[in-house]
Amino acid sequence: MEVINGLNLKDTELRLGLPGAQEEQQQQQVSCVRSNNKRKNNDSKEESAPPPPAKTQIVGWPPVRSNRKNNNKNVSYVKVSMDGAPYLRKIDLKMYKNYPELLKALENMFKFTVGEYSERQGYKGSGFVPTYEDKDGDWMLVGDVPWDMFSSSCQKLRIMKGSEVPPAL
């Protein structure tokens, strides 16, 4: 217990931890309290101060959300936007095995219907066209390339209004 000028400094010390916790437990925790390493007068005795306690890293700090951990390589999240929808979604492409499964999930997610796809005409019979951005930054129609190539190169999905689709797609 440190007493200076009649004041008990231990009672007024700011500590990290719960009130009433034992001192041994608080000694083990990392403390932000500065040690008393002030310059000493020449006439005071030289005392060897004990070395400061080693700082221990708190396990799991800073917190990392489980969906941001890159430990699982079987996950391939992409953002999905739809023209006119006020929100974005994020889906895992590895959950789907082919285009029909993906398109059905997108239809249920955004409450729209996708028309029939043909290689020459694209999507017909719907006001919306699913497109994606590949690793090169090019926008392409969903269904133009084989599924494996699509699922490995897709960066973003966008469901565009049919009237806004450029003729190059």
Side-chain angles (χ1 to χ4, degrees), residues 6 24 37 44 46-47 50 53-54 66 74 76 79 96 104 119 128 134 163:
E24 291 177 12
N37 290 339
S44 68
E46 292 290 324
E47 294 180 10
S66 61
N74 294 329
S76 178
K79 289 183 181 178
Y96 307 103
K104 192 67 173 167
E119 290 183 18
F128 295 98
D134 64 2
S163 60

Side-chain angles (χ1 to χ4, degrees), residues 15-36:
R15 290 177 252 158
L16 295 175
L18 297 173
Q22 297 175 357
E23 284 191 31
E24 291 177 12
Q25 189 179 22
Q26 290 178 357
Q27 292 292 336
Q28 293 175 355
Q29 294 178 355
V30 178
S31 176
C32 294
V33 179
R34 290 184 159 193
S35 61
N36 199 2

Side-chain angles (χ1 to χ4, degrees), residues 122-140:
Y123 288 92
K124 294 293 178 195
S126 172
F128 295 98
V129 177
T131 60
Y132 74 98
E133 182 181 15
D134 64 2
K135 289 182 179 180
D136 298 329
D138 300 327
W139 284 92
M140 301 173 62

Side-chain angles (χ1 to χ4, degrees), residues 28-100:
Q28 293 175 355
Q29 294 178 355
V30 178
S31 176
C32 294
V33 179
R34 290 184 159 193
S35 61
N36 199 2
N37 290 339
K38 296 181 178 179
R39 284 188 245 160
K40 298 183 180 187
N41 294 337
N42 290 339
D43 47 49
S44 68
K45 274 201 255 178
E46 292 290 324
E47 294 180 10
S48 62
K55 292 184 179 181
T56 58
Q57 181 178 2
I58 300 171
V59 177
W61 191 258
V64 178
R65 291 184 180 170
S66 61
N67 64 347
R68 294 198 179 196
K69 290 182 183 177
N70 290 330
N71 295 342
N72 191 356
K73 299 297 180 189
N74 294 329
V75 175
S76 178
Y77 288 107
V78 294
K79 289 183 181 178
V80 183
S81 63
M82 180 172 177
D83 291 352
Y87 52 87
L88 295 173
R89 294 288 180 108
K90 190 181 267 192
I91 62 169
D92 179 12
L93 287 179
K94 300 286 183 181
M95 289 179 54
Y96 307 103
K97 294 181 175 93
N98 52 33
Y99 286 117

